[in-house]
Amino acid sequence: MTAEPSAAHDSEPGIHLPVPPPEGFTVDDLFTLPDLPPHTELIDGSLVFVSPQRDFHSVVIDLLVTGLRRTLPSRLKARREMTVVIDRRNAPEPDVSVVRADAFTGREQTRYHAEDLVLAIEVVSPDSEARDRDTKPLKYAAAGIPHFWLVEMAEGNQHPVVRTYELDPVVGNGYTLTGIHHDKLELAEPFEIDIDITSAALDEL
């Protein structure tokens, strides 16, 4: 069933949100409902709207995308804020995704699928802390996305701290922490990565 806006409130001023069907929203609703705010996500059949983002959130995404693209092999591409379809009731939007190049279908593409991703990255915001730390990693791992990064603002000098994870078959459908990075993000997996993540690097953006 597809949700429809509530007709009873059409004449009232203000924001009108769609009324969810009894079983919740689906991916089809996410892409067809009119006037949804930018970057709306679908989590467990519920629409999730994002708050205005801090400068930290924006520039960290820029820093990571730029750094990743410097060393990406030709078989991969970095994308920011693209919907990733996990299943019928879940379509989150990672802040940064590294996807297989052959999953790119053209400039009008609106989504990727979980199997297209090699890496999902979430930059924590105050309104999304629980989703970024708990809900999304569980869903990304269950969907088989091999690598996940969680980025937070360090206290004091406010530079990013990046925690890197990879799927661990020993723990089932879960991630294992592989490192905590404060000044330099230097990794060999999922490919050679070397990104300056100091405050000075953010100040240059």
Side-chain angles (χ1 to χ4, degrees), residues 10-204:
D10 284 348
S11 62
E12 297 180 9
I15 298 173
H16 302 293
L17 299 177
V19 177
E23 71 276 14
F25 293 106
T26 68
V27 170
D28 288 339
D29 296 322
L30 181 65
F31 287 99
T32 57
L33 284 171
D35 303 322
L36 288 180
H39 309 300
T40 299
E41 299 181 289
L42 180 68
I43 304 292
D44 291 330
S46 295
L47 297 176
V48 178
F49 308 119
V50 299
S51 299
Q53 298 299 310
R54 298 179 296 180
D55 181 79
F56 175 83
H57 190 273
S58 175
V59 296
V60 166
I61 292 174
D62 287 340
L63 181 71
L64 293 175
V65 169
T66 301
L68 288 168
R69 285 176 176 162
R70 281 201 309 268
T71 56
L72 274 172
S74 60
R75 61 185 175 83
L76 299 173
K77 292 183 178 291
R79 291 291 182 263
R80 60 177 294 161
E81 299 169 310
M82 288 287 290
T83 297
V84 174
V85 177
I86 292 177
D87 55 38
R88 184 170 176 268
R89 301 178 71 246
N90 288 280
E93 185 182 283
D95 291 310
V96 181
S97 302
V98 174
V99 302
R100 298 195 331 268
D102 60 9
F104 174 69
T105 60
R107 298 301 173 200
E108 295 185 355
Q109 185 167 352
T110 59
R111 72 197 81 177
Y112 287 95
H113 293 269
E115 58 266 28
D116 301 328
L117 269 69
V118 172
L119 166 65
I121 304 173
E122 295 291 350
V123 181
V124 175
S125 296
D127 76 305
S128 68
E129 185 172 344
R131 294 192 302 275
D132 293 342
R133 287 182 173 177
D134 302 320
T135 306
K136 288 186 178 182
L138 288 174
K139 293 188 179 299
Y140 294 153
I145 298 173
H147 297 269
F148 171 71
W149 297 355
L150 185 71
V151 187
E152 299 182 90
M153 180 191 290
E155 295 183 7
N157 61 5
Q158 298 186 336
H159 72 80
V161 175
V162 182
R163 287 175 169 81
T164 58
Y165 300 83
E166 66 180 19
L167 281 179
D168 186 345
V170 174
V171 298
N173 289 330
Y175 289 116
T176 293
L177 180 70
T178 58
I180 303 176
H181 307 264
H182 292 268
D183 296 314
K184 182 180 284 292
L185 186 55
E186 192 169 5
L187 299 166
E189 294 292 339
F191 51 90
E192 293 292 334
I193 297 166
D194 187 351
I195 305 174
D196 181 355
I197 58 171
T198 59
S199 297
L202 289 186
D203 291 342
E204 292 178 359

